[in-house]
Each structure stands twice: as structure tokens, then as C-alpha cells.
Amino acid sequence: GNVVSPQEVVEKSGRDALRYYLSLINPGENIAWNEDYFREVNRYFNVLTNISNLIQNEYGLKFAQKSKAKNLEDKWIISKLNNLIQEAAENYNKYLFYKNTELISKFVLEDVSRKYIQLVRERINQGDKSVGEVLNHVLSSCLLLLAPIIPFLTEHLYQRMNGKLESIHFYSLPQSDKKNIDKKLEEE
């Protein structure tokens, strides 16, 4: 038929995958169901998990929302993060969840995974602790931004990062630090 049971999707792909998929849809629009899209969602979830694994295995750091950006690439990703936090806060305040889902995903996949981690790969191999601190700050902030959308995965990763509070859901959304935003650096 033309009906997809949410229970079937949850059993096959998980609650967070369904929540993520549905959060991409602007309320009032028709849903064009695409089961293949769940493979992409799971790849994205794997990227988040792999970044968490890198932070835990290489640096053993705990959940933290601050870091000191020393190098140019660190300042670049922190600037991008602060822009993301600012835009995400505006979207949440306007109840535009669907915009945040795409915005945060694009940041994690393109800026963090495909660009930043590639730029600092040599520093990671050399055990540069400042890279771990910056990555930890970035991931911690992204998890907080994603917690309303994918609560189970964010809670799981948060618990592995030994945060101070009992749950990631006891935190407020991160605040943008405007002094760390450098539009010129972001464009280079």
C-alpha cells in the first residue's frame, strides 16, 4: 500500500534515524518516502561516532564546550562552529527544526570531517593535544545542537564522553561566541 508503518522503520533503522528523517521535512509538505535515504542517515551517524571515537581513543577527553584555537585551521573551524551555533539558535527560536538538521549535518560532514580533520591529520598523528581539544569542543557543541533532533545517539555519545551532568538533555543549547567569528578567514 501507500502507508509506511513508523514501527517498521524504527525496527529497521532506529528511532533517531526516523526522527532525523522527519525533521528534514518542512511541516505542511508532502513526504516522499525514500527508504534508501536511511543508509545516508546511518553513514552520518557513523561519522559522528567516528569523530567521538577519535577524541576518546587518541585523546581521552571529556565533554567540553571550550577550547583555545591556536592554529589557523583551528580558528577556522571554531569560527564556522560559532556561526553554526548562531544560525541554529535562530532556527530553534523560530521552530525551524528542519533547517537545523540540514545545517548541522552539512557542517559535520563537510567542514569537520572532510576539511578540518583532513587539514589536521598530520597533527593528529603527532599527538597534538590542541587538535583533540578543538575537535572535542566542536563535537560537544554539535551534540548539544543535535540533542533535540536525535536524542538517543547524542545521549549515547555524551555518556561515553563522561560529561559533568547526568544527561546531555540537562544542558542548554550552546551560545555563539561572536569574538571567535572571522568571516574573512572562513572565506579563504
Side-chain angles (χ1 to χ4, degrees), residues 88-153:
E90 291 169 10
N91 289 335
Y92 276 132
N93 288 334
K94 295 176 185 173
Y95 300 100
L96 300 173
F97 288 75
Y98 69 96
K99 287 187 176 183
N100 278 350
T101 306
E102 196 169 314
L103 188 70
I104 300 164
S105 302
K106 183 178 176 192
F107 173 77
V108 168
L109 292 172
E110 293 179 18
D111 295 332
V112 179
S113 180
R114 293 188 184 126
K115 291 180 185 167
Y116 180 72
I117 291 178
Q118 297 308 315
L119 288 170
V120 297
R121 175 102 26 227
E122 187 63 34
R123 290 172 54 203
I124 291 170
N125 292 338
Q126 294 171 355
D128 185 341
K129 192 164 175 93
S130 66
V131 173
E133 291 169 358
V134 169
L135 265 176
N136 193 35
H137 172 190
V138 168
L139 180 63
S140 297
S141 296
C142 286
L143 291 178
L144 286 170
L145 292 172
L146 286 166
I149 300 167
I150 51 173
F152 301 105
L153 178 61

Side-chain angles (χ1 to χ4, degrees), residues 40-68:
E40 295 300 317
V41 171
N42 285 322
R43 282 190 196 119
Y44 171 58
F45 290 176
N46 283 338
V47 169
L48 288 169
T49 303
N50 288 341
I51 294 169
S52 175
N53 289 341
L54 173 66
I55 293 165
Q56 295 302 302
N57 296 340
E58 294 295 321
Y59 301 103
L61 297 172
K62 294 183 177 189
F63 186 86
Q65 297 179 66
K66 297 286 177 200
S67 65
K68 289 189 170 72

Side-chain angles (χ1 to χ4, degrees), residues 56 61-66 136 140 143-144 154-155 157-172:
Q56 295 302 302
L61 297 172
K62 294 183 177 189
F63 186 86
Q65 297 179 66
K66 297 286 177 200
N136 193 35
S140 297
L143 291 178
L144 286 170
T154 55
E155 182 67 27
L157 295 177
Y158 172 79
Q159 292 299 327
R160 289 181 58 213
M161 296 170 78
N162 297 315
K164 292 180 183 176
L165 300 179
E166 188 177 332
S167 171
I168 193 169
H169 303 289
F170 292 160
Y171 286 88
S172 297

